[in-house]
Amino acid sequence: MSRIKLHPSGHEIECQQGDTVLAAVERSGYALPNNCRAGACGECKVKVLQGEFDQGIVLDMALSQEERAQGFGLMCMAKPLSDELVIEWGTDDAKPKLFPPRENMLHIVTDKIRRTPRITEFRFRPLGNPVRYWPGQYVMLGDATAGAPQRSYSIAGAPRPDGEILLHVTRDATGATSRWLHDQVQVGDSVKLSGAYGTFIGDPSVETPVLCMAAGSGLAPILSLTEAALRRGFKQPVKLLFSACTAEDIYNQGLMTFLQAKNRRFKFIPTLTREKRDGMLSGRIPDLLPTQFTDLSGYTVFIAGTPEFVASCKQAAKLLGAKDEMIHTEGYFQQQQPETPPANRLATASAGR
Ligand SMILES: Cc1cc2nc3c(=O)[nH]c(=O)nc-3n(C[C@H](O)[C@H](O)[C@H](O)COP(=O)(O)OP(=O)(O)OC[C@H]3O[C@@H](n4cnc5c(N)ncnc54)[C@H](O)[C@@H]3O)c2cc1C
Ligand code: FES
């Protein structure tokens, strides 16, 4: 077992043999930003001030050679080698606030509903205690024996008393786990979920207008955040721009109509990128944004979807004045491991750096 010390707060965490730093930090209830959990996105990058760790196999674009040389590491893949690892972490972040995730919680598939030609909604009921999560977080699931590695899926709704978990899964024609879910997993099957993970969560104390942007199954975490905010009587306007290729890719329209009818401050605005329909917007969200808003400087912005979608929406929002610290993003990074390990897999930080 190793000890992880958070600098400058001085908080200490135990890291069991074989655990990554991220897993240990989360188990202790700390909110270290993360996304792909596979060394591909760079979200969990922190500076290691002291101690040695095995960085594992990560992508160069997520952790450059210069960053390695400066002592940075990706905590989702890093495993301590020394008795103590000191990691640099802002005091604001180093506050316990997440529910410690649990692994392999048995659930039964209670429903499998085709929402669009590529997106299917799965509903899972827990056999044990419900997954505790903040709206916007994700769970991981897969089945190694079926050739489906663990992948992340955002929970598509606010927490429910019966613990039901909803996921919206896009089928990737050549993907391992999404195909397993779409083609093999059936109603009545049991699956194991782990979680909840992630820091794409809303701050309940925010009192600004909110703009949400989602594409495809990126709607899932946005829906979770929106539902939770509206349920607790959020008073500010919430606009949800949703990007779909064609009209048949727009889903959950009934729920959107209900939410709009119940909350006059909520507005659902779909746009089609590959067809035109009377009375509907068409075009990509980043191109449409200036026609919908003149100034986003006072807005809290949430964006979810593919990494490319997230990056282009973020840039467009910033051009309209949105502030970095008020933009929250969830890019659906792919999680397969790189096949060849980089040369310097082992990272060492010298004392006091
Ligand atoms: C935080 C987070 C939340 C997410 N939430 C959702 C969600 O709510 N809904 C959802 O549908 N998805 C979500 N995703 C994406 C999801 O986790 C998976 O990445 C997605 O389902 C694809 O997984 P897969 O196993 O089916 O495909 P993979 O097997 O990972 O393959 C994906 C693509 O990469 C290609 N590929 C496979 N192996 C390699 C390789 N070695 N090198 C290069 N290319 C390769 C495949 O041909 C395929 O096109 C989320 C991702 C993250 C990080
Ligand atoms: S690189 Fe660690 S969470 Fe993506």
Side-chain angles (χ1 to χ4, degrees):
M1 193 181 69
S2 302
R3 202 171 46 254
I4 296 162
K5 197 184 251 181
L6 311 182
H7 177 84
S9 72
H11 290 149
E12 287 188 3
I13 289 164
E14 286 179 358
C15 185
Q16 303 296 334
Q17 187 74 28
D19 262 357
T20 62
V21 175
L22 174 62
V25 163
E26 287 178 331
R27 210 162 275 147
S28 302
Y30 291 94
L32 176 62
N34 65 86
N35 177 296
C36 69
R37 307 181 83 83
C41 73
E43 278 282 303
C44 63
K45 196 180 303 168
V46 301
K47 192 164 192 177
V48 178
L49 300 172
Q50 202 173 311
E52 288 181 13
F53 62 102
D54 180 351
Q55 178 55 90
I57 301 171
V58 303
L59 293 182
D60 264 355
M61 63 178 220
L63 181 68
S64 68
Q65 297 301 328
E66 297 79 62
E67 287 169 328
R68 284 169 187 262
Q70 289 161 13
F72 287 94
L74 299 180
M75 297 302 107
C76 67
M77 299 295 284
K79 294 182 179 170
L81 293 173
S82 51
D83 290 343
E84 186 175 86
L85 208 61
V86 183
I87 66 173
E88 192 173 67
W89 203 2
T91 37
D92 281 350
D93 281 347
K95 286 182 199 152
K97 58 178 180 184
L98 296 182
F99 299 114
R102 286 174 294 144
E103 284 172 14
N104 298 321
M105 288 172 281
L106 209 53
H107 284 68
I108 301 290
V109 182
T110 49
D111 237 325
K112 181 176 175 184
I113 308 162
R114 192 166 176 265
R115 291 288 184 200
T116 76
R118 286 185 65 213
I119 299 174
T120 291
E121 179 177 298
F122 291 84
R123 292 174 175 237
F124 304 91
R125 286 274 180 105
L127 288 178
N129 290 328
V131 176
R132 299 185 72 199
Y133 68 94
W134 288 100
Q137 285 195 292
Y138 63 90
V139 291
M140 295 194 78
L141 82 159
D143 181 355
T145 58
Q150 293 280 318
R151 300 288 190 234
S152 310
Y153 294 100
S154 303
I155 305 172
R160 287 154 206 267
D162 59 11
E164 190 168 65
I165 296 280
L166 271 65
L167 304 181
H168 296 159
V169 180
T170 305
R171 187 177 187 280
D172 183 320
T174 51
T177 303
S178 60
R179 274 194 305 148
W180 164 71
L181 277 160
H182 274 250
D183 304 348
Q184 291 182 43
V185 173
Q186 300 301 338
V187 170
D189 286 356
S190 47
V191 296
K192 288 176 181 161
L193 303 185
S194 300
Y197 305 109
T199 47
F200 185 63
I201 51 183
D203 177 350
S205 64
V206 161
E207 279 305 333
T208 70
V210 172
L211 166 64
C212 299
M213 294 178 263
S217 53
L219 186 61
I222 297 287
L223 202 53
S224 189
L225 289 162
T226 307
E227 219 188 359
L230 297 179
R231 208 192 263 179
R232 68 167 190 270
F234 189 65
K235 296 281 182 295
Q236 297 286 336
V238 177
K239 275 195 179 165
L240 166 45
L241 287 176
F242 178 64
S243 177
C245 294
T246 64
E248 64 174 358
D249 297 312
I250 303 177
Y251 68 105
N252 270 353
Q253 293 198 65
L255 178 60
M256 294 304 166
T257 307
F258 168 76
L259 291 176
Q260 289 188 138
K262 209 154 171 357
N263 309 274
R264 275 182 299 152
R265 292 179 200 88
F266 174 66
K267 188 115 188 66
F268 175 62
I269 310 168
T271 174
L272 303 179
T273 56
R274 291 200 200 147
E275 89 173 313
K276 286 198 183 343
R277 289 265 175 132
D278 283 349
M280 282 188 74
L281 287 179
S282 60
R284 295 166 63 248
I285 290 180
D287 303 332
L288 290 174
L289 214 52
T291 67
Q292 302 291 313
F293 298 90
T294 48
D295 178 9
L296 288 175
S297 58
Y299 277 72
T300 302
V301 179
F302 292 92
I303 315 169
T306 62
E308 300 74 30
F309 171 81
V310 168
S312 52
C313 288
K314 182 172 178 178
Q315 196 187 9
K318 284 176 72 168
L319 285 174
L320 290 168
K323 299 189 187 81
D324 263 323
E325 64 275 19
M326 289 167 75
I327 304 177
H328 307 269
T329 61
E330 189 76 308
Y332 286 1
F333 284 88
Q334 289 174 11
Q335 294 141 79
Q336 66 273 358
Q337 297 291 308
E339 273 152 21
T340 44
N344 61 339
R345 191 169 170 216
L346 195 72
T348 307
S350 57
R353 181 159 55 188

